[in-house]
Amino acid sequence: SEDGGSRARVAYSDLDKDRALFEGDGEIEYQYEIYRHMESAMHFNDPLRTLDHRKKVNREAARKNRSAAHRSGKTWEGFHPQTNLVWLHFVLHKLREQYDAPSEPSEESEDPVVRKAWDLERALRRISEKLSPESLHKCGMDSAGQLAELALREQWLTWEDVLGSEPQSAANPGEACG
């Protein structure tokens, strides 16, 4: 850290100061559901563990989970990398709402712009699926670093995209990061 200490400071917003963020109707605005998933990810590393007491079927589970969340002692000030993935899912969701995906090109289509646009749409769809709270829960992805590793494996990104140049040793990419 800049002050010579061994711990870096985490930039955060204390979302507990505005509990209305967690009580809005997720059917009307998906962002409210995302805040609830982020809260569960913060406390339990599980974006699907319910803390939502508003639904009758979840009241008892939510009560127990709220108690466990309080005992966890975790706050928004701590580093909870899975919350970043949940937020990235939301940002991508909003981006895709505004994006007019092209229709799938036919086999004989040779227009490179149409093909590139379709490849982008396909990649955005796959990333969105991987970042959904349900997938995060199932596959155990916990950080943006793991997302970057996936993007490199799936070839959504190249090393140049991530590092600005090829790594010194493609066989051991961690060495290039120092």
Side-chain angles (χ1 to χ4, degrees):
S1 67
E2 288 182 18
D3 64 0
S6 60
R7 278 188 64 181
R9 294 183 55 174
V10 175
Y12 74 98
S13 292
D14 187 351
L15 301 181
D16 282 330
K17 289 182 178 179
D18 186 1
R19 292 305 304 168
L21 294 172
F22 303 95
E23 296 172 6
D25 188 341
E27 296 290 321
I28 294 173
E29 177 51 61
Y30 188 46
Q31 187 169 352
Y32 294 120
E33 200 64 36
I34 290 299
Y35 283 126
R36 287 189 282 275
H37 289 309
M38 287 173 59
E39 184 179 41
S40 295
M42 175 186 65
H43 286 296
F44 307 115
N45 268 6
D46 179 355
L48 295 182
R49 192 160 168 186
T50 186
L51 295 167
D52 188 359
H53 64 280
R54 294 169 308 128
K55 299 176 183 169
K56 228 179 205 183
V57 296
N58 294 337
R59 281 197 181 128
E60 184 58 25
R63 188 188 62 73
K64 288 179 182 175
N65 287 342
R66 282 231 169 266
S67 177
H70 181 70
R71 287 191 313 271
S72 80
K74 294 180 178 179
T75 67
W76 292 104
E77 185 175 4
F79 180 56
H80 311 288
Q82 196 177 54
T83 61
N84 295 333
L85 295 175
V86 175
W87 190 253
L88 283 172
H89 166 73
F90 176 69
V91 170
L92 186 54
H93 169 80
K94 287 304 214 181
L95 174 73
R96 290 187 67 222
E97 276 185 348
Q98 301 303 311
Y99 177 68
D100 283 331
S103 56
E104 187 169 6
S106 63
E107 289 295 322
E108 57 274 351
S109 174
E110 293 185 22
D111 184 346
V113 173
V114 171
R115 286 224 168 268
K116 194 143 187 106
W118 178 249
D119 289 345
L120 174 64
E121 168 56 24
R122 212 172 41 231
L124 291 176
R125 190 177 333 115
R126 290 199 55 218
I127 295 168
S128 184
E129 290 165 2
K130 296 281 186 188
L131 289 176
S132 74
E134 294 76 17
S135 284
L136 292 175
H137 170 78
K138 191 167 40 174
C139 75
M141 190 183 309
D142 290 327
S143 69
Q146 289 176 337
L147 176 62
E149 288 174 18
L150 174 67
L152 288 166
R153 271 195 319 272
E154 297 284 331
Q155 298 180 343
W156 297 328
L157 295 175
T158 66
W159 279 109
E160 191 171 356
D161 294 329
V162 176
L163 302 175
S165 64
E166 288 291 322
Q168 297 298 322
S169 169
N172 190 351
E175 289 179 359
C177 299

